Each structure stands twice: as structure tokens, then as C-alpha cells.
Amino acid sequence: MNRDLTLDDLVMAGVALAAGLLLAFLLRMLLRWLGRHATRTRWSGDDVIVDALRTLVPWGAVVGGAAAAAAVLPLTRTVGHNVNQALTVLLIFVVTITSARLIAGLVHTLTQSRSGVAGSATIFVNITRVVVLAIGFLVVLQTLGIPIAPLVTALGVGGLAVALALQDTLANLFAGIHILASKTVQPGDYIRLSSGEEGYVTDINWRQTTIRELSNNLVIIPNGQLAGTNMTNFNRPEEQLTLLVQVGVAYDSDLEHVERVTEEVVAEVMAEIEGAVPDHEPAVRFHTFGDSRIGMTVILGVGEFSDQYRIRHEFIKRLHKRYQAEGIRIPSPRRTVMFQQQGAPGIPHQRDGLTAEVTELAP
């Protein structure tokens, strides 16, 4: 425009800018009200969406008010172009940050809902955030008139050199992606490695997997090592598992009575102890004629790996008490030792062929 700036222009620009700020304030209050209602729903994804919009929408109103204010002012073509370009870059920047937060939050919610734990697989969250920010950066460069083709080519050539220098890091990255994609291990699973480490998987990020032991210590394992080792996952294909407890009774026991009493104790433990499987069918299987007892295996149902210690503890206590009340004897192993003392020459009162029998507890 070639006309001079007037007071009316300033008033109109001020009104447009004030309207944008007021609209931003009202929208932020509306989104805060929606956020309180979103926390009451079951799905946590609406919380992520409202939180992301709480940043985008007010800034969009402010940028819109500033653009309207610039439109009513008699700016030169160059100044107007620069102002519009600056506002566009600001809006793209806000949209990029909001999109990265929104998509990363939704990925976090998805991984959390599938694993069923508080922890999440941050490898997908971080990769998603980096990809969105990179796309937004390229869009900003394109808006500013900077050609991105040479930059992409340079990044491709430089990426090859970086890949050669970071072979171990990239190996851990792709190993982590493979572990999560194949669903062999997910956050929340209880695993045991062939090297002896065991615990709950709390997180799988771009480089390493974190395992929390039952002692509440953390074990950090590189993803490449985890992918290449033998591993037992106690949560797959299902979380419930069976617990085998070995018991022995005396040979003079009535096995029908023993089986019935043991099954009653199993049913009692399954119904009353937290972490047990209430609908588990009691199972007692005799299997061995031992040196001093008849051996049997009692099969218990456990809802989750760490519950087995509490269930085993309660079962042994209750079974021992019930056996005592029913007169069922659990014999201790015994060993009979025979030794013979020969007469020594030159000792006239030594008796030859002295034999004694001693019964002692076996170690």
C-alpha cells in the first residue's frame, strides 16, 4: 500500500489483535473445562488430545489476530510479505510442536494399553517425535524459500558415515524395534535370561531394555544382547501359570485320604489367597516310591509370576497344619549306618567282630 498510516488503521489493528488475544483466552478456558471432563473418561487418549489443543488453539487465535492486524495496516509489499512469512513460520512451529506432542502421546497411550502397565515402550514414542519434528523443520525451510533437496542429499551422504560410526547403537535400535514388533517381549512382562537375570521389563528404549528385579534393583541390558540370548517369558502366551509343589507322605498313609485332604487345602488356598486362580481345579499326582516316602506333586494355579511365592508360602503352612490335624505323617529321611570293629593284635580284651547299628538323620 502507498497511503499513509492513520489513527483509524492503528485502532483497527489494535482491535484485531485484541480480538485474537481475547479469543485465545476464551478458547483456553474452554479447553481447560474440556480437560477436566476428559479426565473422567476411561480412554486416556482424549486427555492427550485436549492437552495438545490447549497449546495449538490459543496460539492459532493469536496468530490469526496478528495476521488480521497486519492486513489492515498500510504495509509495503516487502514488509507485508516478511510479516506474513514470520507468522506462517510461527504457526508451523506451533503446529509441529503440538503434532509431535499429540502423536507421541497417542503412541504412549497405545503402548500402555497393550502392555497394561504404567511404563511404556519409549522407543516408538521417541522415533515418532523425531520424525514429526524433522518434517516440521523441512516445511519451515520450504516456507522460507530454502531448497531442501540439497539438504536431504547431504543428510543421506552424511547418514551413511554416521551409520558406520554408530554400528552398535543402530544394532541396538533395530533390535529394540524387532523385539517390540515381534511381541516376544513387552513392557510389564516378567522374563528370565539364560545368564541368570530376571525381573519385570519396565521400558524398552532406542538403546537398552530396563528390567526391575523383585529386589527392586534395575538391570540394564542392551537390546542387541537381549535379542541374541535365550529367554523365558512368563507372561506369554498367557499371564497365568502353574506352580508345582513337591510333597511326600509316609508309606503307611491312606493315599485316598491324603489326596482328598490335599485337594481341599488346594481349593481353600485358591479361593482365599490373593493372586491365586479361583477356578483352578485341584490336582494331586503321586509319582514316586522314594526311600522313605511316597512322593507326589501338587499343582496350583497362579495368576502372575510374583504371586507364586505368597501362594507357596500359604499352601505349605496350611497343608502342614491340616496334615497334623488329620494324622498324616510327613517322614524325615533316615539313614542306617553299619560298622564293624575288628580285634587289634596285642590287645587281649578286644572283642572280634563287634557290630553296631546307628540310625541318624540324613543330611
Side-chain angles (χ1 to χ4, degrees):
M1 295 183 182
N2 296 324
R3 64 184 181 85
D4 295 332
L5 180 65
T6 63
L7 181 60
D8 292 339
D9 295 332
L10 294 177
V11 172
M12 292 297 296
V15 170
L17 186 59
L21 293 175
L22 179 61
L23 181 60
F25 176 76
L26 294 177
L27 290 173
R28 187 169 182 83
M29 295 298 296
L30 175 62
L31 290 171
R32 183 176 299 176
W33 177 80
L34 290 176
R36 287 196 298 267
H37 285 272
T39 56
R40 302 174 186 173
T41 61
R42 283 179 151 185
W43 185 49
S44 59
D46 53 359
D47 299 332
V48 177
I49 295 174
V50 173
D51 183 65
L53 292 178
R54 193 179 298 175
T55 302
L56 174 63
V57 173
W59 274 104
V62 171
V63 172
V72 301
L73 292 175
L75 303 177
T76 63
R77 179 175 300 179
T78 302
V79 175
H81 174 74
N82 292 335
V83 170
N84 291 332
Q85 194 174 57
L87 293 176
T88 303
V89 169
L90 177 60
L91 185 60
I92 293 174
F93 177 76
V94 174
V95 170
T96 301
I97 297 297
T98 304
S99 301
R101 182 184 301 175
L102 174 62
I103 298 176
L106 292 177
V107 171
H108 175 93
T109 302
L110 179 61
T111 56
Q112 187 180 34
S113 64
R114 289 194 174 184
S115 60
V117 294
S120 67
T122 57
I123 182 172
F124 289 146
V125 177
N126 293 334
I127 290 176
T128 302
R129 185 181 291 114
V130 170
V131 169
V132 173
L133 292 177
I135 293 175
F137 177 72
L138 294 177
V139 173
V140 169
L141 293 180
Q142 189 72 26
T143 302
L144 294 176
I146 301 175
I148 62 175
L151 179 61
V152 173
T153 303
L155 289 176
V157 176
L160 179 60
V162 172
L164 293 176
L166 300 177
Q167 293 185 26
D168 294 339
T169 301
L170 293 177
N172 289 324
L173 172 62
F174 288 108
I177 295 175
H178 170 72
I179 290 172
L180 289 174
S182 62
K183 296 184 180 181
T184 56
V185 178
Q186 296 289 323
D189 291 352
Y190 192 96
I191 64 173
R192 177 183 296 160
L193 306 183
S194 58
S195 54
E197 296 91 350
E198 62 178 86
Y200 289 98
V201 177
T202 59
D203 188 28
I204 303 176
N205 58 31
W206 61 274
R207 182 181 180 275
Q208 61 201 16
T209 297
T210 304
I211 298 176
R212 178 175 57 84
E213 297 180 321
L214 293 179
S215 59
N216 214 29
N217 298 322
L218 295 180
V219 180
I220 309 301
I221 302 175
N223 293 332
Q225 179 180 341
L226 181 65
T229 187
N230 295 330
M231 173 183 58
T232 302
N233 191 334
F234 292 94
N235 288 72
R236 306 199 180 264
E238 60 181 15
E239 192 172 10
Q240 293 184 1
L241 50 90
T242 56
L243 173 63
L244 306 181
V245 180
Q246 304 300 323
V247 183
V249 295
Y251 273 94
D252 57 358
S253 302
D254 182 355
L255 298 187
E256 295 291 340
H257 180 57
V258 170
E259 183 177 7
R260 182 174 64 255
V261 169
T262 306
E263 289 180 348
E264 292 175 359
V265 175
V266 172
E268 177 184 330
V269 170
M270 293 295 99
E272 299 179 3
I273 303 303
E274 181 183 358
V277 181
D279 56 352
H280 171 76
E281 182 179 356
V284 178
R285 299 293 183 264
F286 296 99
H287 57 76
T288 303
F289 288 101
D291 294 337
S292 59
R293 66 182 68 190
I294 296 178
M296 63 180 178
T297 299
V298 182
I299 304 175
L300 307 173
V302 180
E304 196 266 335
F305 183 85
S306 62
D307 295 331
Q308 63 175 308
Y309 304 104
R310 178 174 59 257
I311 294 173
R312 187 194 301 269
H313 168 77
E314 289 294 333
F315 173 72
I316 291 176
K317 285 199 312 181
R318 299 189 183 200
L319 186 66
H320 182 262
K321 182 178 180 180
R322 183 68 182 276
Y323 276 6
Q324 286 183 329
E326 298 289 340
I328 300 174
R329 190 164 57 90
I330 303 177
S332 57
R334 294 181 178 274
R335 177 184 300 164
T336 300
V337 180
M338 306 288 296
F339 66 91
Q340 184 174 12
Q341 183 178 1
Q342 299 293 338
I347 303 179
H349 299 289
Q350 180 84 27
R351 293 182 56 189
D352 295 340
L354 179 62
T355 302
E357 181 175 327
V358 178
T359 302
E360 60 178 7
L361 291 178

